[in-house]
Each structure stands twice: as structure tokens, then as C-alpha cells.
């Protein structure tokens, strides 16, 4: 069982930056494809970014050039550097790990972009 714990959310003004972290622990917690999703109030959960086992990254169109996903060398933590934040980036951000038996999710961290 893999546990994912997100941190780094908070309140930031438009144009500001935040860095989210996700720590994975438990059996098979290293070396998985990992990603970030978000869910705004009243909306469905949507894909934000992913980093694959081979290091390739993928982004949703509306965060390209503003967000950067990365991971640590041990392969059990993933980060999301978010720059030039907009009010529409306000959401709960969830970490995901793709495991052999299916995806695992964290509990989410709240990001609010507001002046």
C-alpha cells in the first residue's frame, strides 16, 4: 500500500508562486509514474501534470510554461512549481501515483489564488 501526502498549498496573490510537494511512502512507493490533478469547486477533477518513469513530462495546455513538475532522485517524491498563478488555478491539488494495481491518491492540498 502506498501513501501519498501533499503539502505546500496556501493563499497567494495572482502572479505569485507556490511549490507543492508530494511524499510517497510504503511498499512500491519508489519509481512510479506520478502526477498532479486538481479539482475546483463545482468542477470535475482534471489533469495538471505528470512525470513518467523515464523522466518525460506532460502538462495540461493551460499550465504549460507556468508549472513545472519534477521528482527527487529516490523516486518517492514529486513536486509542482507553480508560477504566474491565476485566480482560475484555485483548486484542491491532488497527487497521484500509478501503481501496478491501479492509481493511488493523496488527500489533497488547497491552493487559493486571490487578491
Amino acid at each position: 500500500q502506498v501513501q501519498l501526502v501533499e503539502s505546500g498549498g496556501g493563499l497567494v496573490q495572482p502572479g505569485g508562486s507556490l511549490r507543492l510537494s508530494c511524499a510517497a511512502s510504503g511498499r512500491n512507493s519508489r519509481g512510479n509514474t506520478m502526477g498532479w490533478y486538481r479539482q475546483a469547486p463545482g468542477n470535475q477533477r482534471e489533469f495538471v501534470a505528470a512525470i513518467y518513469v523515464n523522466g518525460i513530462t506532460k502538462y495540461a495546455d493551460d499550465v504549460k510554461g507556468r508549472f513545472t513538475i519534477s521528482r527527487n532522485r529516490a523516486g518517492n517524491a514529486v513536486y509542482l512549481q507553480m508560477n504566474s498563478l491565476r485566480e482560475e488555478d484555485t483548486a484542491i491539488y491532488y497527487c497521484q501515483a500509478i501503481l501496478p494495481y491501479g492509481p493511488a491518491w493523496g488527500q489533497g492540498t488547497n491552493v487559493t489564488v486571490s487578491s
Side-chain angles (χ1 to χ4, degrees):
Q1 190 89 9
V2 173
Q3 293 80 42
L4 303 174
V5 179
E6 302 98 332
S7 61
L11 173 65
V12 63
Q13 292 186 342
S17 297
L18 279 176
R19 186 175 188 248
L20 306 183
S21 299
C22 172
S25 60
R27 187 171 181 172
N28 297 321
S29 62
R30 296 172 182 259
N32 300 298
T33 290
M34 297 183 74
W36 291 93
Y37 284 70
R38 66 186 180 187
Q39 187 168 14
N43 290 356
Q44 291 187 336
R45 192 173 297 189
E46 64 179 11
F47 170 78
V48 176
I51 184 164
Y52 296 89
V53 174
N54 59 10
I56 292 175
T57 57
K58 181 179 178 181
Y59 297 93
D61 286 343
D62 60 346
V63 306
K64 282 181 183 176
R66 300 190 297 124
F67 292 9
T68 303
I69 189 170
S70 61
R71 65 184 177 202
N72 67 347
R73 288 187 178 183
N76 59 357
V78 66
Y79 310 98
L80 188 68
Q81 178 66 42
M82 306 187 295
N83 299 327
S84 303
L85 282 162
R86 306 166 181 167
E87 291 188 352
E88 52 264 40
D89 294 318
T90 295
I92 299 174
Y93 283 70
Y94 296 91
C95 177
Q96 182 201 58
I98 303 298
L99 304 173
Y101 48 84
W105 294 93
Q107 83 289 349
T109 186
N110 207 339
V111 172
T112 302
V113 184
S114 175
S115 55

